[in-house]
Amino acid sequence: MPEQQIPNEHQQPVVIIGAGHSGVAVAAGLRTRGWRGRILLLDAEKETPYERPPLSKELLKAGAPDESTLLRKEKFFLDKGIERLGGLSVESIDRSGKAVILSDGSRHAYHRLVIATGSRARALTVPGADLPGVLALRTKDDALELKRVLVADARVAIIGAGYIGLEVAAAAAARGCQVTVLEFQDRVMSRVTSAPVSCFFENIHREKGVRFVFGAAVTAIEGVGRAEQVQTADGARFPADVVLAGIGVVPNQEIAEAAGLNCKDGILVDDHGRTSEPEIYAAGDVTRFTSRIDGQSQRLECIQNAMAQADSVAAHITGQTPSEPEIPWFRTVQHGVRLQTAGVRHPDDDIIVRGTPADGKFSVVYLRKGRLSAVDTVGGLSDFRPAKKLIAQAAAIDPALAADPSIPLTGAALQPSY
Amino acid sequence: MSNNKVTVVDREGATHDLEWEPDQTLMEALRDNDLPVLASCGGTASCATCHVFLEKDVFENLSERSEDELELLVEAEGYQEFGSRLSCQVDFSQNLDGATVTLAPEG
């Protein structure tokens, strides 16, 4: 950090609502960037902030400790002078008084406020969705509850074949459960990947005994006192001891809406993470913003976005320049097989399969008007870093070369496109 | 166990002395001491943003790199066969006391 006068502003308080990836990264980033004022990190949960990705992976494994990786060790918050208040909710934001009011009645003044409240699991709305035994997975408590009920021979019905549904399906199958996945679309992970990857993962799951029902529209959860079966629109009924809904997430924007900030399926923010109120920022899953890549309005539910927006916010609050953001990327692990995606694919992108799925290791390359938009790597990571780099350059790709896994992905790029 | 002292050379060539605590991976020690290590995957050998170079004699005392780690490293800028590690995969060890750690270029 170069020697310089610390602006008076940097002694002012910043309040951050939410202690997930983005909230913690804002707090840490402010300190790294020299902010000296109070930093108050508000967390709906009590314990030390933790990572969510392991909740549906490592934590559910038999014999694994009931802990997730901590985002930072407790000592970090102490060392950096980041105050944490856990187990309280925010009642309201007093915009004119520049303070947040908590559920215990306490009032905390801010110079800048950051809303990093994340998202929550979308709730099933069919009759019976509130029966005991119908679960979702978002928090560590959710994961521990799920872990308790995923016992051998339990009949587990999973609604939704997205990342969460399939990761839980894999964990449940490994624990000896009888797993049925009910999916409205005609293949797994249809929102995030192409048919060859869907087919590959569906086969892995089937080999492990997972059953799939596609085109399934769930109409009710039935049971006396607790969930006993799932009914679909065609009248079929699937007996279940455990029902898990993995049908996406919704942004936790209510506190922002109540404060009059512009929201539309997410808190609207600009490139600096500013909301419609200049003193209030937002970062992470709760935001909606314009993609730098294709100009589309989007929400992005991934850690890369949470961290990149957190960095933009910390940079803007301190009057500094943000780091170059990573290309969005996503990771899932099912039955020990990794799918890692760089970039955000569109359904109408051209696809090139690179390698042979039967080998258990291949990539799918996505091209938009001849330029690289995304790459899925399955069972290996060799193409991941080259993909990030080439996507950032919007590199034009030779499809024939890209289809040949003996040629490095970078070798398939035509001349630099700028 | 007492802390390790390590010297870090950042991407601008400046050096920083830092304390590496026994319950930290090398990545955590770097990140939590304000060095620019993004570590967006949280230490799962997925993102390769915590790539560092170690001295050969230090490197050779460490356990083998996993296939995932190696696949990411080989494609990284400046990859060194006998020096490149993802710092999230390097656990605390007293053998590393006094080591020099150089941050690899981003990208």
Side-chain angles (χ1 to χ4, degrees):
Chain A
M1 211 46 53
E3 284 295 321
Q4 57 185 18
Q5 192 108 33
I6 297 159
N8 281 339
E9 191 192 6
H10 290 196
Q11 321 275 355
Q12 299 285 323
V14 175
V15 174
I16 301 164
I17 308 175
H21 262 97
S22 54
V24 169
V26 170
L30 284 170
R31 284 289 184 247
T32 300
R33 291 175 180 278
W35 193 263
R36 299 289 182 90
R38 180 187 197 202
I39 297 177
L40 177 62
L41 186 58
L42 300 171
D43 191 355
E45 294 173 61
K46 264 204 161 136
E47 56 191 299
T48 312
Y50 58 84
E51 303 240 1
R52 292 189 198 281
L55 299 180
S56 49
K57 303 179 182 76
E58 290 81 0
L59 193 130
L60 292 181
K61 285 184 181 160
D66 288 347
E67 293 299 332
S68 184
T69 313
L70 299 179
L71 283 166
R72 294 290 190 284
K73 299 212 161 62
E74 189 62 42
K75 183 171 178 292
F76 174 84
F77 297 98
L78 298 171
D79 288 350
K80 298 291 178 189
I82 296 165
E83 287 175 62
R84 286 199 306 112
L85 264 182
L88 293 169
S89 58
V90 175
E91 287 292 308
S92 61
I93 298 167
D94 174 0
R95 275 170 69 176
S96 54
K98 294 181 71 172
V100 296
I101 293 105
L102 305 186
S103 49
D104 64 354
S106 62
R107 187 181 167 89
H108 300 271
Y110 65 79
H111 174 69
R112 296 287 180 264
L113 175 65
V114 183
I115 303 175
T117 43
S119 53
R120 61 179 176 272
R122 184 185 300 281
L124 275 177
T125 52
V126 300
D130 55 352
L131 284 169
V134 181
L135 307 178
L137 175 51
R138 190 68 188 166
T139 64
K140 189 175 142 188
D141 285 346
D142 292 339
L144 294 180
E145 185 178 0
L146 192 57
K147 198 172 177 177
R148 276 193 294 277
V149 296
L150 294 182
V151 294
D153 297 323
R155 295 164 304 175
V156 179
I158 293 172
I159 302 172
Y163 291 144
I164 292 287
L166 294 182
E167 288 177 7
V168 173
R175 295 170 75 97
C177 302
Q178 300 172 34
V179 184
T180 304
V181 177
L182 305 167
E183 166 59 49
F184 183 73
Q185 302 296 331
D186 60 0
R187 59 188 176 88
V188 303
M189 297 188 282
S190 62
R191 187 170 74 102
V192 295
T193 192
S194 57
V197 177
S198 296
C199 179
F200 177 83
F201 276 92
E202 182 189 329
N203 285 338
I204 293 180
H205 281 280
R206 285 191 190 279
E207 281 165 18
K208 302 286 183 183
V210 175
R211 192 177 152 207
F212 286 94
V213 182
F214 293 107
V218 171
T219 48
I221 314 292
E222 299 171 327
V224 181
R226 62 170 296 113
E228 290 167 4
Q229 55 189 3
V230 179
Q231 188 187 25
T232 52
D234 57 2
R237 286 183 165 81
F238 301 90
D241 304 303
V242 179
V243 178
L244 177 93
I247 53 172
V249 297
V250 289
N252 292 323
Q253 65 183 32
E254 288 75 5
I255 192 82
E257 272 183 309
L261 304 180
N262 290 347
C263 297
K264 194 178 179 186
D265 183 32
I267 303 173
L268 303 182
V269 296
D270 66 11
D271 283 349
H272 304 294
R274 283 181 299 191
T275 68
S276 53
E277 164 80 30
E279 288 150 354
I280 305 181
Y281 296 78
D285 279 16
V286 75
T287 66
R288 173 172 287 278
F289 60 100
T290 303
S291 163
R292 286 163 39 124
I293 297 166
D294 60 14
Q296 303 272 314
S297 164
Q298 63 179 359
R299 282 197 294 116
L300 260 189
E301 300 143 10
C302 65
I303 287 164
Q304 173 277 331
N305 180 56
M307 294 183 73
Q309 286 187 321
D311 185 59
S312 297
V313 167
H316 198 264
I317 289 177
T318 52
Q320 298 173 13
T321 310
S323 307
E324 189 59 32
E326 272 187 291
I327 289 297
W329 66 273
F330 307 84
R331 177 177 79 104
T332 178
V333 183
Q334 298 163 26
H335 303 288
V337 181
R338 188 195 281 256
L339 162 60
Q340 201 157 303
T341 299
V344 180
R345 121 195 202 280
H346 284 185
D348 47 4
D349 288 348
D350 295 323
I351 73 167
I352 300 162
V353 178
R354 179 173 158 79
T356 310
D359 297 343
K361 193 168 180 171
F362 67 105
S363 299
V364 176
V365 173
Y366 299 90
L367 300 184
R368 200 170 304 156
K369 295 180 181 147
R371 296 180 184 278
L372 191 64
S373 58
V375 174
D376 287 332
T377 65
V378 178
L381 287 169
S382 296
D383 289 340
F384 183 68
R385 278 182 78 127
K388 274 169 73 179
K389 197 177 246 177
L390 294 170
I391 293 165
Q393 297 168 353
I397 296 291
D398 179 322
L401 295 177
D404 182 349
S406 70
I407 300 169
L409 189 58
T410 41
L414 303 170
Q415 287 313 301
S417 49
Y418 51 89
Chain B
M1 239 186 307
S2 56
N3 293 349
N4 282 348
K5 293 191 190 328
V6 290
T7 300
V8 182
V9 182
D10 70 20
R11 298 187 188 103
E12 281 72 47
T15 58
H16 309 259
D17 292 321
L18 60 87
E19 300 264 327
W20 177 4
E21 297 168 16
D23 65 348
Q24 293 176 316
T25 63
L26 180 56
M27 175 276 281
E28 291 173 316
L30 297 170
R31 180 192 67 186
D32 294 354
N33 282 289
D34 296 326
L35 286 153
V37 168
L38 188 62
S40 54
C41 74
T44 58
S46 303
C47 72
T49 58
C50 70
H51 176 198
V52 297
F53 304 125
L54 300 173
E55 299 143 299
K56 190 164 179 253
D57 57 328
V58 171
F59 174 87
E60 282 173 344
N61 277 322
L62 298 175
S63 55
E64 292 279 298
R65 294 171 290 205
S66 70
E67 196 179 331
D68 285 340
E69 181 180 352
L70 201 53
E71 286 184 351
L72 287 168
L73 285 172
V74 167
E75 296 295 335
E77 200 172 323
Y79 167 67
Q80 296 178 2
E81 190 179 354
F82 301 105
S84 282
R85 290 298 310 243
L86 295 182
S87 57
C88 70
Q89 302 301 302
V90 179
D91 287 329
F92 182 91
S93 150
Q94 280 169 334
N95 294 334
L96 295 165
D97 191 26
T100 296
V101 178
T102 303
L103 302 189
E106 288 179 288

